[in-house]
């Protein structure tokens, strides 16, 4: 079983965390066949934490966990904190395969996405 | 003249701020005809600040400024801080028309974007 763990920063505003959870819930239809389990986790403030999210994926039977940093820029959190937490998980669960994707802001489709938001063309769903 | 101001959080890591500036620079080809001026500004830590970015747009002749919150979730920064700064600019420059778009994370195309990153299909540029 393959798991995808969407990792975001976490906010004191629960509405903000719920928003990320909702985006993750909407991922299922796009990832059927690629990932069996999709969860979200938070680096700070909100729960589940990243180690908790990883454990949940493994408890549900995942033998691989792909961590996707849901961050727009590669600040310290993306460059250091998340890799460090994943490295610790690698040591704790040597039988599980871990990988980290690029952060969402590095996606080459991002300028087009921004331009669609700027032009108010969200309804197109591009 | 119409200006688009991409507002992100700002990081102590200059590489992270440069990354946002680069994404903004890549916007020009998508927004020709919609916006004459495109700049980026930072809520905290980095410069230019949002008021500085707004002033730059106006100094260059813009009569309308569209502010795009480059944030993934509507935390306090999106819900309160940015609107408050834009309201202050409205009072300072009553002859200029201001608007704020949805934040980037609210874009309905986001789940598909995330799924493409997760599947490693960045090269498609979707």
């Amino acid at each position: 079983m393959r798991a995808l763990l969407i990792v975001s920063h976490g906010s004191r505003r629960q509405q903000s965390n719920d928003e990320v959870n909702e985006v993750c819930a909407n991922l299922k239809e796009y990832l059927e066949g690629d990932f069996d389990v999709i969860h979200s986790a938070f680096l700070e403030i909100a729960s589940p934490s990243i180690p908790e999210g990883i454990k949940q994926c493994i408890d549900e039977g995942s033998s691989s966990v792909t961590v996707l940093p849901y961050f727009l820029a590669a600040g310290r959190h993306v460059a250091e904190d998340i890799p460090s937490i994943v490295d610790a998980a690698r040591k704790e669960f040597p039988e599980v395969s871990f990988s980290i994707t690029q952060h969402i802001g590095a996606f080459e489709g991002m300028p087009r996405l921004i331009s669609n938001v700027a032009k108010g063309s969200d309804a197109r769903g591009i």
Side-chain angles (χ1 to χ4, degrees), chain A:
Chain A
M1 269 179 65
R2 299 189 59 192
L4 176 66
L5 188 66
I6 310 291
V7 170
S8 56
H9 187 279
S11 168
R12 277 179 192 84
R13 206 163 168 268
Q14 188 51 41
Q15 201 178 329
S16 168
N17 303 323
D18 290 343
E19 187 181 345
V20 176
N21 288 330
E22 196 177 323
V23 168
C24 293
N26 288 334
L27 280 176
K28 291 197 167 65
E29 62 175 298
Y30 297 98
L31 290 173
E32 215 166 340
D34 290 287
F35 295 95
D36 309 290
V37 169
I38 302 169
H39 288 301
S40 58
F42 299 92
L43 178 65
E44 292 177 357
I45 304 164
S47 67
S49 67
I50 304 176
E52 287 167 349
I54 288 173
K55 189 158 187 313
Q56 188 178 10
C57 295
I58 294 170
D59 285 349
E60 291 175 6
S62 300
S63 56
S64 92
V65 178
T66 298
V67 173
L68 188 151
Y70 194 52
F71 287 74
L72 286 169
R76 186 171 43 84
H77 295 322
V78 170
E80 297 169 24
D81 299 340
I82 295 173
S84 162
I85 292 168
V86 172
D87 278 346
R90 278 197 180 97
K91 283 173 193 149
E92 189 176 349
F93 305 103
E95 72 286 6
V96 176
S97 154
F98 290 93
S99 61
I100 306 178
T101 72
Q102 64 178 337
H103 59 289
I104 193 86
F107 188 71
E108 70 174 49
M110 194 51 91
R112 197 166 78 184
L113 186 87
I114 298 171
S115 69
N116 286 334
V117 176
K119 289 192 237 181
S121 59
D122 186 24
R124 284 190 222 157
I126 295 168

